[in-house]
Amino acid sequence: MQNNLFQTPIEYLKGVGPQRSDLLRKELGIHKYQDLINFYPNRYIDRTRYYKINELDNNSTEVQLIGKIINIKTVEPAKGKKRLVATFVDATGQMELVWFQGQKWVRESLELNVSIVIFGKCASFGNVYNMAHPEIELLADHEQSLSSAMQPVYPSTETLSNRGITNRVVNKLMQQLFQETQALFSETLPDYLMNELRLVSKKEALFNIHFPKSPEALAKAQFRLKFEELFFIQLQLITKNLVRKHKIKGHAFEKVGKLFSNFFANHLPFELTNAQKRVIKEIRNDMGYPAQMNRLLQGDVGSGKTIVAFMSMLLALDNGFQACFMAPTEILANQHFIGLSKLAKTLNINIKKLTGSSKTSERKVIHEELENGTLQILIGTHALLEDKVKFQNLGLAIIDEQHRFGVEQRSKLWKKNDIPPHVLVMTATPIPRTLAMSLYGDLDISLIDELPPGRKPIQTVHRYDSNRLNVMGFVSDQIALGRQIYVVYPLIQESEKMDFKDLMDGYDSISRDFPLPKYAISILHGKMKASEKDFEMQRFSEGKTNIMVATTVIEVGVNIPNASVMIIESAERFGLSQLHQLRGRVGRGSDQSYCILMSSHKLTNNSKTRMETMVRTNDGFEIAEVDLKLRGPGDLMGTQQSGVLNLQIADLVRDRDILYLARNYAVKILKDDSPLEKQEHLVMRTVFIEMTKRKNIWNYIS
């Protein structure tokens, strides 16, 4: 944007002043003229039609009328809220306008017997229509304003409405801003790109996003601004990746040595899938260069990520380096330690585990062996990040379920060496492609997209509580075949008491249906001590109990091949990815496995969609796409990444095609001119440098 006019503090805009500017800053993050220009409407209303009072009906659509206020009074009922009521008339009748908040301010601003335009939703009580908190504009102003047939509606908050900053006020401020700045918006994209994609100019796009002349003009403006937003994000991410590859030195693992070759030839517990082979090759290529690898490994539950991680660690060991593996919870760290220890034993590798509950004596040995280089692989939790943990030469850091770790935590690992280790981040939560491109676009992504052969797809069914007798009959048949059963109850922290009661009630009724001594039941929940949990898990894994009644603590890291039935109680209270993760606890052996989703008959539309999706598909990536549509990107990534995708106009679900287009162009341009120094890219380079100064999405990423 030209000149520094757009950097002017918002209080200097006519009509704002100190009090309003304070509210705009606090409520909407609008500090400068530029922030207001980029504050886009979230919907539009057709304002070409004016209703008469005798045409009103009781539907919930918004309407506008022309008329006059002839009377104002305050009503103080014996019960209920005090309210301000104005009588509004036109040639066909009269109605009431009502305010429950901001009454003093409203009363001062209303004039009697002048022509006004009112806008809002109507409802009728008795035979009288009323409109609560209408937007009001003098007819003379309304006719002169920049407004268009498509009336923009801006995001707002309750505080703003109560303090009189209505949609109409924001609209007027926007008009004032366009007049003051004379719409001097400079172009941000190169001419050839504008021509190729037939994009409207920046000036035209901004005008039509705020004051659209027609639905067609609005669509063109939206496309242009969405493309630009996603394009600059992708430019930033891809540049970051290129910089890392050229500037951040890494250890070159030049040889494939004895450990890797011996394991591959003689000790593989099963034949690798083509997807696993492809991913190992990608990792080997990356680590062969003297630049830091930063790769995201995505694979569905049970796709065999652990063996890929182990073979990657062997490459580090063969080149004289150490490796570490960090998991978010002790249960998961233990699970990985048990699995990897079995693999390491065949090669005589020194592998140890470090978690919050490791004893002081164990820690002392670990610290010494790490520093003298005799400890080759360390598995652990956040405990690996402690300052006392010093490696002799860390060559590879693997992080499991990496979205559960904050950026600062991860950066501590990089600082354990002068030259940072190669980094492999893994997730068993499939990330939709659009989200992966926007969150992890600076990482190289490897995908294990096939399951090991011989695995039978898990059969999933949805049953209501009224079918419980049949379900228990099925459980009885499965136990008779020698199989084991999981029964999982939801655990939602806010209502832990209720959940605990659910779990205990469930345990009691299952104990009645499957009594001792014929049957044995384990129980597992978050209130148990670690030793008690381990004892119960051990009994179940050894086949000493038939049924495991648990909360979601078994969601990750439990591997019981003989467990073939997963019953999820109150399944409507779980998110899709959690349901998919829980289902992944069964189907680990060669027997046919089943997942039964139990729910009440009262289901919201979203709950129905979740149940239908689970029954229809076992594909984690398809499930993740549905989850993204239902929950949106912020919820999907959880709180640690919630600041990441505060997109101003684009939407990752609806605008995925624009995202792919933007990324393709960003890749093409950077391949041809990575420093953006060509004459035609100078405009873009200026904007790009300006954006990197601002704390935005890219500062949160890996």
Side-chain angles (χ1 to χ4, degrees):
M1 293 196 184
Q2 272 175 1
N3 57 49
N4 285 327
L5 189 55
F6 296 99
Q7 299 307 312
T8 309
I10 198 68
E11 54 263 38
Y12 294 109
L13 183 68
K14 189 180 172 190
V16 177
Q19 282 183 312
R20 275 186 174 172
S21 70
D22 200 37
L23 277 170
L24 291 172
R25 269 195 290 271
K26 280 182 187 156
E27 297 294 310
L28 301 172
I30 294 172
H31 299 262
K32 298 172 183 173
Y33 281 20
Q34 186 170 318
D35 300 326
L36 185 59
I37 285 285
N38 295 329
F39 181 58
Y40 302 126
N42 52 9
R43 62 194 177 96
Y44 298 83
I45 296 162
D46 182 1
R47 295 287 286 260
T48 52
R49 177 161 183 202
Y50 297 92
Y51 284 76
K52 297 273 192 277
I53 291 174
N54 67 355
E55 293 176 323
L56 295 176
D57 57 25
N58 228 344
N59 68 25
S60 63
T61 54
E62 288 152 313
V63 293
Q64 66 183 350
L65 302 95
I66 299 174
K68 294 175 180 177
I69 290 173
I70 56 166
N71 178 39
I72 306 168
K73 62 183 178 187
T74 300
V75 178
E76 297 196 44
K79 279 184 179 175
K81 271 185 167 181
K82 181 170 88 167
R83 61 188 186 274
L84 185 67
V85 179
T87 307
F88 176 85
V89 299
D90 70 5
T92 69
Q94 70 176 45
M95 63 184 287
E96 290 183 342
L97 311 181
V98 187
W99 291 267
F100 297 97
Q101 274 131 356
Q103 293 172 30
K104 180 174 177 289
W105 175 84
V106 172
R107 185 157 205 152
E108 286 167 7
S109 65
L110 293 179
E111 290 182 66
L112 297 179
N113 298 309
V114 292
S115 292
I116 57 172
V117 178
I118 64 165
F119 177 78
K121 285 183 183 175
C122 283
S124 67
F125 289 95
N127 294 323
V128 181
Y129 275 95
N130 73 39
M131 188 183 282
H133 290 264
E135 282 182 32
I136 297 181
E137 191 174 15
L138 290 172
L139 181 59
D141 291 347
H142 180 77
E143 285 168 345
Q144 279 192 341
S145 73
L146 262 177
S147 69
S148 57
M150 308 277 297
Q151 188 74 45
V153 179
Y154 292 92
S156 188
T157 67
E158 199 178 334
T159 306
L160 289 178
S161 306
N162 292 348
R163 298 286 291 277
I165 301 184
T166 59
N167 193 60
R168 191 173 64 84
V169 168
V170 175
N171 208 312
K172 284 190 90 157
L173 294 178
M174 203 64 80
Q175 291 178 35
Q176 182 61 34
L177 184 58
F178 270 74
Q179 282 160 5
E180 275 191 35
T181 59
Q182 297 173 335
L184 286 171
F185 310 116
S186 51
E187 196 41 75
T188 55
L189 296 172
D191 290 346
Y192 73 86
L193 191 59
M194 304 271 295
N195 294 334
E196 263 182 58
L197 292 170
R198 296 184 182 164
L199 299 175
V200 297
S201 70
K202 179 80 176 201
K203 181 176 177 176
E204 195 180 329
L206 284 170
F207 187 85
N208 277 301
I209 205 80
H210 293 294
F211 312 107
K213 293 177 185 143
S214 67
E216 295 74 37
L218 174 62
K220 284 180 180 172
Q222 286 173 325
F223 183 84
R224 152 74 211 232
L225 294 170
K226 285 174 178 183
F227 176 84
E228 180 180 344
E229 179 168 44
L230 294 168
F231 173 74
F232 277 106
I233 286 173
Q234 293 304 322
L235 262 193
Q236 185 78 19
L237 290 167
I238 297 159
T239 302
K240 205 170 169 189
N241 196 347
L242 291 172
V243 166
R244 177 183 289 120
K245 285 180 175 169
H246 290 112
K247 289 199 176 164
I248 302 182
K249 289 188 167 52
H251 304 288
F253 296 170
E254 286 164 355
K255 65 177 183 183
V256 174
K258 280 183 191 167
L259 289 172
F260 186 94
S261 304
N262 180 8
F263 182 77
F264 186 73
N266 307 314
H267 301 290
L268 266 179
F270 45 76
E271 176 76 21
L272 294 178
T273 62
N274 288 329
Q276 286 171 316
K277 287 175 187 168
R278 184 187 70 241
V279 167
I280 290 169
K281 197 173 174 184
E282 288 168 354
I283 292 168
R284 267 178 57 183
N285 285 345
D286 264 12
M287 297 200 298
Y289 288 102
Q292 187 199 29
M293 170 175 85
N294 224 11
R295 191 167 274 282
L296 172 69
L297 174 58
Q298 274 187 270
D300 216 337
V301 180
S303 62
K305 292 182 299 300
T306 310
I307 200 93
V308 170
F310 183 67
M311 292 178 77
S312 306
M313 291 196 269
L314 293 182
L315 285 170
L317 271 51
D318 273 336
N319 285 274
F321 290 93
Q322 295 162 300
C324 71
F325 190 119
M326 189 162 79
T329 63
E330 285 212 17
I331 285 187
L332 204 46
N334 286 334
Q335 178 76 22
H336 283 307
F337 180 66
I338 292 162
L340 292 169
S341 294
K342 282 179 193 159
L343 300 173
K345 197 176 178 184
T346 59
L347 301 169
N348 204 17
I349 288 169
N350 184 4
I351 178 170
K352 286 195 166 62
K353 177 183 72 180
L354 179 67
T355 67
S357 50
S358 298
K359 295 188 178 81
T360 313
S361 55
E362 291 170 353
R363 285 170 184 264
K364 196 165 177 274
V365 173
I366 287 170
H367 292 159
E368 280 172 15
E369 290 187 356
L370 270 186
E371 288 194 53
N372 66 30
T374 53
L375 179 52
Q376 292 156 287
I377 296 176
L378 182 61
I379 314 287
T381 55
H382 298 76
L384 299 189
L385 303 173
E386 290 166 4
D387 292 338
K388 286 180 188 166
V389 179
K390 292 187 172 71
F391 293 81
Q392 188 188 65
N393 56 352
L394 180 62
L396 173 65
I398 297 176
I399 300 173
D400 196 25
E401 295 303 334
Q402 73 109 31
H403 57 276
R404 301 204 197 178
F405 294 100
V407 176
E408 284 153 34
Q409 291 174 314
R410 298 202 299 264
S411 68
K412 280 187 180 175
L413 264 184
W414 311 170
K415 291 170 187 164
K416 302 230 174 233
N417 277 26
D418 294 337
I419 294 180
H422 292 297
V423 179
L424 182 66
V425 291
M426 307 203 309
T427 178
T429 310
I431 303 164
R433 192 165 164 229
T434 47
L435 207 53
M437 276 165 56
S438 306
L439 279 168
Y440 305 116
D442 60 329
L443 299 179
D444 297 304
I445 295 178
S446 286
L447 221 53
I448 303 183
D449 48 8
E450 62 179 307
L451 290 176
R455 288 268 173 101
K456 291 180 180 155
I458 300 163
Q459 284 186 20
T460 304
V461 293
H462 174 212
R463 297 285 180 264
Y464 293 105
D465 291 335
S466 50
N467 305 121
R468 193 168 292 281
L469 266 175
N470 292 343
V471 171
M472 287 305 137
F474 175 71
V475 167
S476 182
D477 295 342
Q478 285 290 304
I479 293 173
L481 291 171
R483 313 275 183 267
Q484 288 168 286
I485 320 292
Y486 288 111
V487 183
V488 177
Y489 287 83
L491 182 66
I492 299 168
Q493 276 154 344
E494 286 82 359
S495 56
E496 227 167 49
K497 287 194 183 80
M498 184 178 100
D499 295 313
F500 192 60
K501 182 178 171 295
D502 279 359
L503 179 81
M504 297 318 290
D505 285 354
Y507 177 71
D508 289 344
S509 70
I510 289 168
S511 300
R512 284 194 295 276
D513 290 340
F514 298 93
L516 285 162
K518 189 179 177 184
Y519 301 97
I521 300 170
S522 283
I523 187 163
L524 197 66
H525 57 78
K527 294 189 176 177
M528 291 162 69
K529 291 179 184 154
S531 56
E532 293 170 338
K533 285 183 197 168
D534 291 343
F535 174 71
E536 288 295 340
M537 277 308 314
Q538 196 63 33
R539 288 205 313 149
F540 190 62
S541 70
E542 287 169 4
K544 290 176 182 170
T545 56
N546 312 100
I547 300 173
M548 163 71 76
V549 179
T551 57
T552 48
V553 290
I554 62 118
E555 183 185 340
V556 285
V558 182
N559 191 7
I560 316 281
N562 190 46
S564 65
V565 181
M566 166 64 70
I567 298 173
I568 303 174
E569 294 284 355
S570 306
E572 72 272 25
R573 285 167 65 192
F574 290 91
L576 253 182
S577 64
Q578 209 176 17
L579 289 171
H580 180 60
Q581 289 283 333
L582 286 167
R583 173 167 64 185
R585 297 297 105 218
V586 295
R588 294 181 162 245
S590 52
D591 302 314
Q592 178 61 59
S593 288
Y594 306 89
C595 176
I596 302 169
L597 308 170
M598 301 294 295
S599 79
S600 66
H601 279 277
K602 286 181 192 166
L603 291 180
T604 62
N605 287 338
N606 275 3
S607 296
K608 282 179 190 159
T609 305
R610 290 200 296 270
M611 301 300 129
E612 284 158 9
T613 305
M614 287 291 293
V615 170
R616 188 185 77 248
T617 180
N618 280 301
D619 180 342
F621 288 94
E622 193 182 332
I623 287 166
E625 290 287 353
V626 177
D627 208 13
L628 180 64
K629 282 178 188 151
L630 290 179
R631 293 202 285 161
D635 283 347
L636 210 56
M637 294 318 296
T639 49
Q640 277 182 318
Q641 307 264 14
S642 62
V644 171
L645 286 175
N646 293 334
L647 296 172
Q648 285 173 314
I649 189 165
D651 176 292
L652 289 186
V653 180
R654 289 194 296 270
D655 302 323
R656 54 196 293 179
D657 293 345
I658 305 177
L659 172 63
Y660 297 150
L661 186 70
R663 186 166 177 91
N664 289 341
Y665 269 96
V667 168
K668 203 159 115 186
I669 286 169
L670 289 170
K671 249 186 190 162
D672 172 52
D673 177 23
S674 63
L676 301 178
E677 285 171 348
K678 287 190 173 177
Q679 187 62 37
E680 66 264 34
H681 293 149
L682 293 182
V683 164
M684 201 162 64
R685 180 185 160 90
T686 309
V687 179
F688 184 68
I689 290 168
E690 198 51 46
M691 288 177 92
T692 47
K693 289 178 191 169
R694 295 211 304 271
K695 187 170 188 214
N696 211 318
I697 161 173
W698 19 90
N699 295 55
Y700 291 89
I701 293 178
S702 29

